[in-house]
Amino acid sequence: MRKYIRIAVTALLFTLIAWRTNWSDVADKFAGLRLEMWFAAVGLYVLAQIASARRWQLYARELHFEERLGAYCAYSFIGMYFSLVLPTLVGGDVMRVWYLNGRSGRKWAALASVLAERVNGLLILVATACVGVLICPVELPWWMTLSVWGIAGGAILGVASIPILQRWPRLSVERRQQLQTLWDLLRAPKLFAETTFMSILVQVAAILLLWCLGIGLGLDVPITYYCVLVPMVSLLMLLPISLNGMGVREGGTVLFLLPLGVDESASLSLAFLWFTTGVAVSLMGGVVYLCGFASGTPKNFVPTSTPS
């Protein structure tokens, strides 16, 4: 039922977008696009995925999975491909867990590494929006500032609730142990520093990506404004209301560029190009999958001490 609701919402969003869009203006924007900036954006997307794969590797290594960075990159690109072709945002993460687990029988440990990697990335995503609010030279509308700080407060409460939940008596002992493992991963000082650095690289690449596309379209948007736009639109896309955030990305981009006076056609062109960069990189993952570069073979396990 949820799948059909998402399909209906996605269709509704695209119907509204199509009805309000001046497609001749969008076509003109695409015709005037500087292709070198689009290719630069795709390159930045690839770099962001490599940094994300390295972040995942760091968490997985703490849980005694021994793989080279190339394997994690392959799994991540394949995950992107399945996130594109499956009607869910978590399909790619399911594939990453499946590949990392292989036949090791350590499904929870594989899942914990992906969860910890996602939580770290999400926290830095929210932190990037907060920094953007502080450094943006453009006066932001009240609702935008309130949204950023409200989400930041929610993220802090969410992380703080993990040690509370692990003591909740209604949870099974197994679930409490799993939460303890996740909490240990997130609070290990050296690991947190290393993974946070990777997350910062991911966010810098994502911001530069959209900035390049904006330049390619001739948009006069300060790069610091993208520090707010990119994280907030990315967070909107996580809402389980449409297929893979489609329609939400476009509507969110228009909404956040309105305060700068950017017309809807230009905003939609930027959102469409943003989507095409993701498609291009996801299709690379399809090639990796079809060529069998990641076969899901058993993963080495070194039974040493527990994560610190």
Side-chain angles (χ1 to χ4, degrees):
M1 179 62 70
R2 290 181 180 179
K3 180 179 71 174
Y4 294 112
I5 293 175
R6 291 183 182 183
I7 292 173
V9 171
T10 303
L12 176 61
L13 288 172
F14 273 113
T15 299
L16 291 173
I17 290 170
W19 176 60
R20 292 179 54 89
T21 301
N22 187 329
W23 291 105
S24 62
D25 285 350
V26 172
D28 290 340
K29 292 290 184 183
F30 271 78
L33 173 67
R34 294 169 54 187
L35 285 177
E36 71 274 13
M37 301 308 296
W38 184 85
F39 282 109
V42 172
L44 286 164
Y45 210 132
V46 171
L47 290 175
Q49 287 305 306
I50 294 173
S52 179
R54 172 58 178 166
R55 179 179 63 197
W56 179 28
Q57 182 191 31
L58 290 169
Y59 280 118
R61 188 172 62 189
E62 194 75 6
L63 292 170
H64 317 304
F65 287 100
E66 299 298 327
E67 290 280 9
R68 294 182 178 180
L69 178 59
Y72 288 96
C73 289
Y75 304 157
S76 295
F77 279 104
I78 290 173
M80 282 196 65
Y81 172 68
F82 278 94
S83 289
L84 176 67
V85 299
L86 295 178
T88 172
L89 286 171
V90 300
D93 287 341
V94 171
M95 292 301 298
R96 291 201 292 154
V97 171
W98 185 82
Y99 271 106
L100 183 60
N101 177 44
R103 292 189 292 274
S104 69
R106 304 181 63 236
K107 186 183 298 183
W108 162 249
L111 176 60
S113 70
V114 172
L115 286 175
E117 185 258 334
R118 285 298 191 188
V119 170
N120 182 277
L122 186 63
L123 291 176
I124 302 306
L125 184 73
V126 175
T128 301
C130 295
V131 172
V133 168
L134 295 174
I135 68 175
C136 186
V138 180
E139 184 177 354
L140 301 176
W142 66 269
W143 59 266
M144 194 180 298
T145 303
L146 182 63
S147 298
V148 170
W149 294 118
I151 291 173
I156 293 172
L157 289 175
V159 173
S161 68
I162 296 177
I164 298 175
L165 283 174
Q166 71 185 48
R167 296 182 180 88
W168 194 24
R170 297 187 64 177
L171 288 179
S172 65
V173 174
E174 181 183 11
R175 288 289 178 266
R176 280 183 274 174
Q177 289 175 342
Q178 291 170 347
L179 284 173
Q180 181 64 52
T181 299
L182 181 61
W183 182 240
D184 288 343
L185 284 174
L186 292 174
R187 68 176 183 168
K190 182 181 178 181
L191 182 61
F192 178 78
E194 292 175 334
T195 54
T196 296
F197 178 70
M198 290 298 111
S199 293
I200 292 172
L201 290 182
V202 170
Q203 293 309 313
V204 169
I207 291 164
L208 289 175
L209 183 159
L210 213 61
W211 178 67
C212 285
L213 294 176
I215 291 177
L217 290 171
L219 301 184
D220 184 21
V221 177
I223 190 171
T224 51
Y225 191 81
Y226 288 118
C227 293
V228 180
L229 185 152
V230 172
M232 293 303 288
V233 174
S234 298
L235 287 169
L236 284 174
M237 290 170 58
L238 294 177
L239 296 175
I241 60 175
S242 71
L243 296 176
N244 300 325
M246 292 189 293
V248 176
R249 177 195 301 101
E250 291 72 22
T253 303
V254 170
L255 177 66
F256 277 88
L257 286 178
L258 274 178
L260 298 186
V262 179
D263 64 84
E264 290 187 16
S265 297
S267 298
L268 285 173
S269 298
L270 181 63
F272 292 150
L273 287 172
W274 190 0
F275 175 67
T276 62
T277 58
V279 170
V281 177
S282 297
L283 292 178
M284 294 179 191
V287 173
V288 173
Y289 174 71
L290 293 174
C291 292
F293 291 129
S295 58
T297 52
K299 308 299 176 286
N300 296 327
F301 170 55
V302 182
T304 57
S305 60
T306 57
S308 57

